[in-house]
Amino acid sequence: MDPTTTALDLARTYGYLFVFAFVFLETSMLFPLLPSEVVLPASAAIVVTSPSTLALFVLVATAGAVVGSVVCYELFSRAGEAAVDHRWVRVEESDADRARRWFRRWGRHSVLWGRVLPVLRSVVSIPAGLSGMNRVLFTGYTAVGALAFNAAVGGVVYAGAEASVYETALVVARERPVVVALLVLAGLVAVVAGYRGSTGDWRERWS
């Protein structure tokens, strides 16, 4: 049976429980069989029927992302590079390398805005854990970034748009640049605040 069809059947049967479990498994790197760009919007189309269900969808998906990301972070923080070859971890070496390069270039604040980008959204937890990034800062950045992505997915689905969240974002950027500029400014403020308020050991490089 097609994995996507199976996932959607589970979404219809278990609703928000499936949303939480799916996002947790994807972000924890324990069972990422399908990308959330495919399953999450389809799941939202099933469970989101009103503003209250939209809010619940966003909260549940964000909770799953935060818990899963912290599990992945802790695994790589404790086991180091060996975690890539762990039998329970499902991550391609190429994706892990891409995340390392990205993290080295852009730093810890990439955990915040990396949560809205394809592929990087899950694997950015790997270099964050390897580098010993401050746990509180990591969790905060993850929560804000995941909340933004899930709200965008849920909002696009609830609005009835047929385009993906990324295509919709491009349209909004063209039609409402002032709104986009304000959102970017808010993100920068969050990055600066997190950078200034972070404490603890920080290692920029690792072998």
Side-chain angles (χ1 to χ4, degrees), residues 22-94:
F22 172 80
V23 177
F24 167 79
L25 290 172
E26 184 198 33
T27 55
S28 65
M29 299 280 99
L30 297 179
F31 199 65
L33 287 181
L34 295 170
S36 57
E37 290 87 350
V38 175
V39 177
L40 206 56
S43 299
I46 293 171
V47 301
V48 174
T49 57
S50 65
S52 60
T53 56
L54 169 60
L56 184 57
F57 167 81
V58 173
L59 290 176
V60 169
T62 300
V66 171
V67 176
S69 296
V70 169
V71 168
C72 183
Y73 168 92
E74 290 293 343
L75 176 62
F76 280 87
S77 177
R78 296 170 187 272
E81 294 281 355
V84 175
D85 298 322
H86 195 283
R87 65 192 181 95
W88 291 110
V89 176
R90 299 291 185 269
V91 59
E92 296 290 337
E93 182 64 38
S94 58

Side-chain angles (χ1 to χ4, degrees), residues 6-190:
T6 302
L8 296 184
D9 287 342
L10 291 172
R12 294 186 186 95
T13 303
Y14 296 103
Y16 296 107
L17 179 60
F18 168 79
V19 172
F20 178 89
F22 172 80
V23 177
F24 167 79
L25 290 172
E26 184 198 33
T27 55
S28 65
M29 299 280 99
L30 297 179
F31 199 65
L33 287 181
L34 295 170
S36 57
E37 290 87 350
V38 175
V39 177
L40 206 56
S43 299
I46 293 171
V47 301
V48 174
T49 57
S50 65
S52 60
T53 56
L54 169 60
L56 184 57
F57 167 81
V58 173
L59 290 176
V60 169
T62 300
V66 171
V67 176
S69 296
V70 169
V71 168
C72 183
Y73 168 92
E74 290 293 343
L75 176 62
F76 280 87
S77 177
R78 296 170 187 272
E81 294 281 355
V84 175
D85 298 322
H86 195 283
R87 65 192 181 95
W88 291 110
V89 176
R90 299 291 185 269
V91 59
E92 296 290 337
E93 182 64 38
S94 58
D95 291 336
D97 287 339
R98 185 183 300 113
R100 293 186 190 98
R101 293 194 300 270
W102 187 278
F103 197 79
R104 287 193 180 102
R105 179 176 181 181
W106 299 106
R108 52 191 167 183
H109 58 76
S110 63
V111 173
L112 173 62
W113 45 271
R115 294 296 177 187
V116 303
L117 300 178
V119 180
L120 186 67
R121 198 167 54 251
S122 295
V123 297
V124 73
S125 301
I126 295 175
L130 291 174
S131 69
M133 179 179 176
N134 178 266
R135 286 175 175 79
V136 175
L137 186 61
F138 171 81
T139 304
Y141 276 174
T142 295
V144 173
L147 181 68
F149 177 77
N150 294 323
V153 170
V156 167
V157 170
Y158 184 63
E162 296 183 358
S164 71
V165 63
Y166 300 109
E167 292 171 335
T168 303
L170 291 175
V171 172
V172 172
R174 288 195 298 267
E175 296 181 353
R176 299 185 179 181
V178 175
V179 174
V180 174
L182 290 174
L183 292 174
V184 171
L185 179 60
L188 290 175
V189 170

